[in-house]
Each structure stands twice: as structure tokens, then as C-alpha cells.
Amino acid sequence: MNRDRLRKQIGTLLIHAVLAAGAALVLFPFVWMLLGSVKSYNEATTAGFIPREWLWSNYLDAVTVMNGSVPCQFDAANPLAILNQCLLLRYFFNTVFVGLFVVLGVLTTSVLAGYAFARLNFPGRNLLFGILLMTLMIPFELTLVPNFVFMTWFSTPESWLATTFGLSKEGLHNWINTYYALIVPFTASVFSIFLFRQFFRGIPNELFDAALLDGATHSQFLWSVVLPLSKPALVTSALLTFLGTWNALMWPLLVTNAPQMRPIQVGLAQFIGEAGTQVQLLMAGATLTVLPIMILYLILQRWFVEGISSAGIRG
Amino acid sequence: MTTQDESHSASLPQQAAGAAPTATKRPRVQWFAYLYILPAFLVIGVFHILPVGYAIWISLQSGAVRRFQFTGLDNYIRALNAPEFWSALQTTLFYTLGTVPMTMVLGLGIAYLLFQKIRGRGIYRTIYFMPYIISTVASAIVWAWVFDPRNGLANHALALFGIPAQQWLIEPTGVFKLIGDGLQVSVPSWAEGPSLALVGIMIFAVWQVLGFDVVIFLAGLGNINSELYEAARIDGATGWQLFRYITIPLLAPTTFFILVVSLIFSLQAFNHIYAMNRSAAQQLGGPLGTTRTLSIFMFQALYEQNRAGYASAIAVLLSLMILGLTLVQFRFLGRRSENG
């Protein structure tokens, strides 16, 4: 018996050793990035682990380089002007702005469609749902060129209104370099519809019958009974959608070329060229963009991990 | 939307209150459902379904966007005759073979260890999953620095084993040829393998995606009935036997799902390569085009050469390959939805 317990303890110890070594390998690049971000150029390019002198000013330098060598200046009289003047903040603003609207769009379209497919009865329901599932088979690459062409065809609503009512002589402006191109094509997700349909199907019929007895309509039932119960599905869908927007690279590269319109990923890719061989600035720039999402992840990690495992997709 | 909804359901309460509860179960067409699905179908129709037909049409055109001219199958013939297409296909396959099995084996191993009711499981899971959350470009910057030819950690690590410094992300030579040269064995040109630059990117990609496989495998392990393990243990099964005869077979659906999803994603590889090429100050797809996958090849045709038709033809060819794989996944997803 004692020998058994000893064997078990050694086994547990071994497992911990392997897992800890793996975790250290996984974490190491982050540590290396953080340490590198506060070293001097000379120290960063020679071996040595802990910086002898912690140069916090690297972060400011990185922001300035990202800004085309113009330092960011905060004007108390006009605080929002910093978004036009400071590119790093602008990149973040773009990513968050686009992400929020995409998430809002996806949640709206998917909750409605998911509810219809789960609980409403209408001709062609299975056929339409089948068509939706079929679109999952279409790879992103195939729709890339046509959607890019669409972006050059579509006009922004404000330029259309201005032209139609003769308010401006600037003419029509297409969707290239606008938030529309970054948001609108992504405001529906078959995957989220599928997720909500599955979730809504699990809501007991008794709840619905009770609501009907109280004289509730479907829209009232959806809004005041179903949605409050659907927090897990809402959070999963929102996080996965946001992660997808956050990591998008090919599409924003294609449809934005003005620096003011870049999301953070594209902005950071641009910064790589600007910082050149200044490793410490590269690490500082990477740290600045990594920290916010890392903090968000550590706070919400349970939702992230469970969202991915219940959904089984890549963001 | 609301008005239609109300008018249609207005008669429902009386019906439900008056008749037996089964009355609500009688199929009754709720026409306003179409309004519920309209927004989703509008977006998916315009940006997902319509583009499929249009992509095929564009692939039959030559010229830049907005100056299309019909050329028939010319783009396809050009692509299939271009050595770059075949080398991009080869690179894509190298990338797939180099990342997918590796990530799955490591992912399963870690998930299995984590599953042994280990203390601090949550912390390990958080750590292993972290790279998956972090943006590809930011982590590529760090990895490119690790692989730096002059001061990178990778070369310091090689030096510990007495291996000479390597050029890593700027090395176009095949990795098997490099090993062969090191051992003074001559490697035939067909067996040179992926360039060291591509191998560097693959290491980075495995590091980034590993957490995904761990988390999905953990979920799959959680679905296996623990009584099976107990029964087998009572029958005197060893740890390896438990793993081999219970875990592996019962985990098969999860494994299959991860395999198909990973294959599809690695065939579409773009972000990791773009970010690493840029961080190593290489041209897209460089050095010497040895990291140019089909996605990169297509992107270059569109973005750098403004050849929309050619890019579309490459996309159609890539899609046909992915389609085959997705069909398999679709069947699987369909089966899951029936169960769920």
C-alpha cells in the first residue's frame, strides 16, 4: 500500500515537472519580450537576461516612432484630438470600435436568426438552415477578391446622402479606407447562429407556454425571458467574434491604406518596418499592444477557454 | 419588425388559454420568422454567397479591378503552368505536415497530463492557452528576435550543443540538406525538405496554436465516462493500457474534429507567415519564395500585382482542396447538431 502511494506521488511529481517545463517554454517569449522592452539597444543585442538598467522610456520612444517620429501630445482643451494625433491610440480605438460594432451586429443577427430556427415554424426552415450551414464550407480566400471589388463599388451612406441632396461636391466615396469595410461584411456569423439555435432549443417549452399565457409576444419572450437566460451563449459568441476581429490581418491590409484607418495588427506590422533594427523598440511596441488583451484574457480566461471548448472553433 | 410580430401572435394567448396546452404545439406558420432571419441572410447573402459565383466569374477575367476582360480559362492555365504555383502548393503541404501532427500530439499529451486531477490545472490551462489569444504580429516580433541570426536565443541554444549558428528566418536552404551538410551526408535535391525559414515559422505556429488543441482535447477527455477507467483499473489495467484502449478510441471524434479543422486552417496559412516574414525583414513569401504558401501567393497576385482574375483563379483552386476537407467536417458538424 505504501509503495503504491509512493509510486503515485512520484508520478504526480513527474507530471508537474513536465507540465511546468512546458509552461515555462510557452511563457518564455512573453518574458523575453517584457525584459527586452526595457533594455538599451546594446544590452538587447548582447546576451544577458535581466536588464542592468530599466529603460522605461523605450515605451515612449516606440510610440513616437510609430507616430512617424512625432511625439504624441495631449491637449486638455480638446482631449479627443489625440486620436487624430497619436497613431497608437488611434490603432487601438479602431480595433475596439470595429470590434464593438461587429460584435453588436453578430449578436443581433444571430440571436434573431437563431431564435427563428430554434423556435419558430415557417416554410423552408430546414432548407434555409441547410444553406447557412453550407456557407461554412466557403473558404475566406474565395470571397476575398469579390468582396474587395464590392468595397470599390459601394458608396458610403453619408457621401451618398450629401451627393443626392447637393450638400457636398466631393462626390461619392467608396468603402475603401472606411469603417464600413471593416465592420459590415462581418456582422453575421453562421457559427453564432448555429450556437444560438442550439442554445435556444435547450430552453424548456414550459417557459414559453407560461409567457404566452401572460400574453407575451415572441419578441417580448425573446427579449425578457430568453436573452437573460442566454448569458453563456452571448459571452461565447461575443468573445469569439471579438477575437476574430482582433486577429484579422489579410482583409484590413487590403481595404485600409490610410494610417488613421489601420487596426492594431496592421499598425503593428507597419511599425516593424519603421523601428527597423531597434529591437528594444520593437519589443516595447509589441508589449504595448499585447498588454491590454493579456489583461482582458486573465480577467475573462474562464469564458475564453470554455467558449472555445464548447464551440470548438478557431477565432 | 415588432408590429408584424405582435399582430401575428395576438391571437395566441386566447388560443393557449382556452384550448388544451397541446394547442401551442400544433404547427402554425409564423410568417414574421422571415423578418427574424432577414438581417443575417442579407449579410451572408451579399458577403458570402454572392461572392462565390462572382469569384468564379472574376477568375475568367484578365486585367485589374474595374478593367476586366474575359479570357476564359487562361488564368487557370497560367496558374497550373506556373512553377510558383506548384512550389506554393508544396510549401503549403510542408507547412501542414510540419504543424498539424506536431500540434496534435503535443496537445493531446499535455491535455492528458492535465486531466490527471492535477493541482493547479486551471493555471496550466490558462498559460498554455495564452499564446492563442495574443495577436500573431506581436508574438511574431518576439519569435523573429529569438531566431535572429546574430543575437537570437535559438543560436545560443544551438551553441550549447556545439551546433554552428544558423540563418533561421532568412535561410532558404532545405532543412534536411542543412542537417545532411552538417553530418557530411549528401542529400538528393528532392529530399531537401522545407527551408529553415519555413521551419522557424512552423515552430512559431505550433507554439501559438497548441493551446487550442489542449483545450479541445481537455473538453473531449471530460466527456469520457470515468467509470470506464475505474472498471479497467479494477481489472488490473496499467496506465498505458488505459490510455491506449480507453482514451484513444473514445477520444476519436474529438481527434477527428481537431484534425479536420487544423488541416483546413493550415492550408489557409497566412497570418503567421506574413508576420514572421515582415519581422525578419524578408519579402512576403521569402527568402527566395520558400515560405510562399498558396494563400500568400494569392494575396501577392491581388495586392502586389493587382491581378484580380489570377488571384481569383488561385483562390478557386485552393478552395477546391479545402472544399474536400470541409465536406468531411460538415458531415461531422451535422452529426453533432443531431445529437445536440
Side-chain angles (χ1 to χ4, degrees):
Chain A
M1 201 66 204
N2 253 342
R3 258 183 70 186
D4 263 16
R5 201 194 283 164
L6 191 71
R7 264 182 69 177
K8 210 170 178 184
Q9 274 176 345
I10 291 175
T12 313
L13 213 67
L14 272 175
I15 291 178
H16 269 295
V18 173
L19 286 175
L25 272 176
V26 166
L27 277 182
F28 186 74
F30 294 119
V31 178
W32 195 235
M33 173 184 78
L34 288 171
L35 291 173
S37 73
V38 289
K39 286 176 180 170
S40 66
Y41 174 77
N42 281 334
E43 237 190 297
T45 49
T46 49
F49 193 67
I50 304 285
R52 259 165 300 176
E53 194 189 357
W54 297 65
L55 286 177
W56 299 104
S57 58
N58 282 348
Y59 292 105
L60 277 179
D61 292 349
V63 171
T64 308
V65 169
M66 210 179 279
N67 225 22
S69 300
V70 186
C72 288
Q73 267 161 355
F74 181 70
D75 178 9
N78 189 3
L80 278 182
I82 200 161
L83 285 181
N84 283 326
Q85 201 265 329
C86 193
L87 276 180
L88 177 74
L89 290 182
R90 179 65 183 233
Y91 295 158
F92 267 118
F93 171 80
N94 290 343
T95 305
V96 172
F97 181 83
V98 168
L100 283 182
F101 275 93
V102 170
V103 166
L104 210 67
V106 165
L107 290 185
T108 312
T109 55
S110 323
V111 163
L112 287 172
Y115 186 79
F117 284 119
R119 305 207 70 103
L120 299 178
N121 178 42
F122 56 97
R125 184 172 78 167
N126 292 339
L127 176 74
L128 288 170
F129 191 65
I131 291 175
L132 278 190
L133 283 185
M134 297 259 268
T135 65
L136 281 176
M137 294 195 292
I138 304 166
F140 167 74
E141 278 78 3
L142 187 60
T143 59
L144 187 80
V145 182
N147 279 331
F148 178 69
V149 176
F150 289 167
M151 296 301 111
T152 67
W153 283 355
F154 295 169
S155 309
T156 59
E158 66 271 13
S159 75
W160 183 80
L161 284 173
T163 314
T164 313
F165 295 103
L167 299 172
S168 137
K169 290 195 175 71
E170 282 182 24
L172 294 173
H173 189 291
N174 66 21
W175 280 21
I176 300 291
N177 268 325
T178 65
Y179 289 121
Y180 297 106
L182 295 172
I183 295 170
V184 179
F186 305 100
T187 49
S189 142
V190 175
F191 181 77
S192 282
I193 295 172
F194 185 77
L195 189 78
F196 280 110
R197 172 180 172 267
Q198 296 301 95
F199 196 85
F200 292 161
R201 279 173 128 196
I203 289 174
N205 281 324
E206 288 75 23
L207 275 179
F208 180 60
D209 294 339
L212 277 188
L213 280 174
D214 290 342
T217 62
H218 274 285
S219 60
Q220 286 164 340
F221 176 64
L222 174 59
W223 183 255
S224 47
V225 180
V226 175
L227 278 190
L229 287 173
S230 310
K231 208 174 143 203
L234 288 168
V235 174
T236 299
S237 166
L239 280 180
L240 293 180
T241 306
F242 191 79
L243 196 62
T245 326
W246 180 271
N247 278 323
L249 189 58
M250 207 201 279
W251 180 252
L253 274 172
L254 271 179
V255 297
T256 63
N257 47 46
Q260 287 78 13
M261 296 309 298
R262 285 178 198 143
I264 189 74
Q265 284 252 53
V266 179
L268 191 61
Q270 193 62 36
F271 170 69
I272 295 170
E274 289 157 1
T277 53
Q278 299 288 311
V279 188
Q280 78 287 12
L281 297 189
L282 281 170
M283 297 300 140
T287 306
L288 285 174
T289 61
V290 159
L291 277 186
I293 195 86
M294 201 172 309
I295 291 166
L296 190 73
Y297 169 65
L298 290 177
I299 296 169
L300 297 173
Q301 61 95 6
R302 193 173 68 91
W303 290 103
F304 269 110
V305 171
E306 274 162 28
I308 296 275
S309 49
S310 71
I313 73 146
R314 297 187 166 186
Chain B
M1 183 175 302
T2 329
T3 48
Q4 265 234 334
D5 183 345
E6 320 272 315
S7 69
H8 263 285
S9 321
S11 62
L12 274 174
Q14 293 95 322
Q15 195 186 42
T22 48
T24 53
K25 286 192 178 155
R26 200 192 324 152
R28 187 175 184 287
V29 175
Q30 287 142 327
W31 296 103
F32 63 88
Y34 292 114
L35 282 176
Y36 275 41
I37 62 171
L38 183 68
F41 267 88
L42 216 67
V43 175
I44 288 163
V46 171
F47 296 107
H48 289 266
I49 300 175
L50 217 64
V52 175
Y54 191 44
I56 295 168
W57 190 82
I58 293 176
S59 75
L60 305 175
Q61 316 290 318
S62 73
V65 172
R66 295 194 140 180
R67 288 193 297 274
F68 288 140
Q69 274 186 319
F70 188 79
T71 55
L73 293 174
D74 196 42
N75 286 322
Y76 291 94
I77 296 164
R78 246 173 236 268
L80 294 173
N81 282 323
E84 290 96 336
F85 176 83
W86 296 102
S87 83
L89 179 64
Q90 191 192 35
T91 304
T92 310
L93 294 179
F94 276 145
Y95 185 83
T96 304
L97 288 175
T99 53
V100 176
M102 187 65 160
T103 318
M104 287 183 71
V105 169
L106 286 176
L108 177 60
I110 292 166
Y112 195 67
L113 291 182
L114 278 180
F115 196 67
Q116 308 301 312
K117 294 199 183 86
I118 215 81
R119 207 176 291 171
R121 182 161 142 192
I123 297 169
Y124 283 125
R125 201 175 64 164
T126 305
I127 292 174
Y128 282 112
F129 195 63
M130 199 183 293
Y132 190 70
I133 298 294
I134 302 305
S135 84
T136 321
V137 179
S139 28
I141 290 177
V142 185
W143 276 93
W145 177 235
V146 168
F147 285 132
D148 187 80
R150 273 181 304 153
N151 305 303
L153 284 174
N155 277 343
H156 283 296
L158 289 187
L160 292 180
F161 299 98
I163 302 170
Q166 300 295 322
Q167 295 294 302
W168 294 105
L169 299 175
I170 55 176
E171 176 64 75
T173 314
V175 66
F176 297 133
K177 179 163 168 31
L178 285 173
I179 294 171
D181 290 353
L183 302 171
Q184 293 174 359
V185 180
S186 77
V187 174
S189 64
W190 55 265
E192 286 176 8
S195 72
L196 187 62
L198 189 65
V199 171
I201 296 173
M202 293 194 290
I203 294 172
F204 162 57
V206 169
W207 170 83
Q208 226 236 341
V209 179
L210 181 64
F212 174 84
D213 288 17
V214 170
V215 165
I216 304 279
F217 271 128
L218 262 179
L221 287 169
N223 288 335
I224 297 174
N225 190 343
S226 58
E227 285 170 17
L228 285 172
Y229 287 110
E230 277 155 35
R233 229 177 250 131
I234 289 166
D235 289 344
T238 63
W240 169 250
Q241 285 173 325
L242 293 179
F243 183 74
R244 172 69 188 83
Y245 295 103
I246 296 179
T247 310
I248 295 283
L250 288 177
L251 204 59
T254 309
T255 313
F256 180 70
F257 172 74
I258 296 180
L259 176 68
V260 175
V261 173
S262 310
L263 284 177
I264 290 170
F265 273 85
S266 66
L267 287 178
Q268 292 174 285
F270 178 85
N271 285 15
H272 293 100
I273 297 164
Y274 179 91
M276 282 294 253
N277 283 164
R278 218 180 143 72
S279 302
Q282 289 296 300
Q283 286 196 327
L284 192 51
L288 297 180
T290 57
T291 63
R292 191 192 287 127
T293 57
L294 284 170
S295 271
I296 299 270
F297 189 44
M298 181 207 75
F299 181 78
Q300 283 181 312
L302 179 66
Y303 188 72
E304 291 175 2
Q305 303 160 7
N306 204 2
R307 293 162 77 190
Y310 191 51
S312 240
I314 300 163
V316 170
L317 293 170
L318 174 63
S319 302
L320 286 176
M321 287 191 279
I322 295 172
L323 187 74
L325 279 168
T326 321
L327 274 172
V328 180
Q329 185 205 20
F330 179 60
R331 277 191 147 172
F332 182 73
L333 195 72
R335 212 187 310 146
R336 260 199 352 168
S337 79
E338 278 158 30
N339 297 339

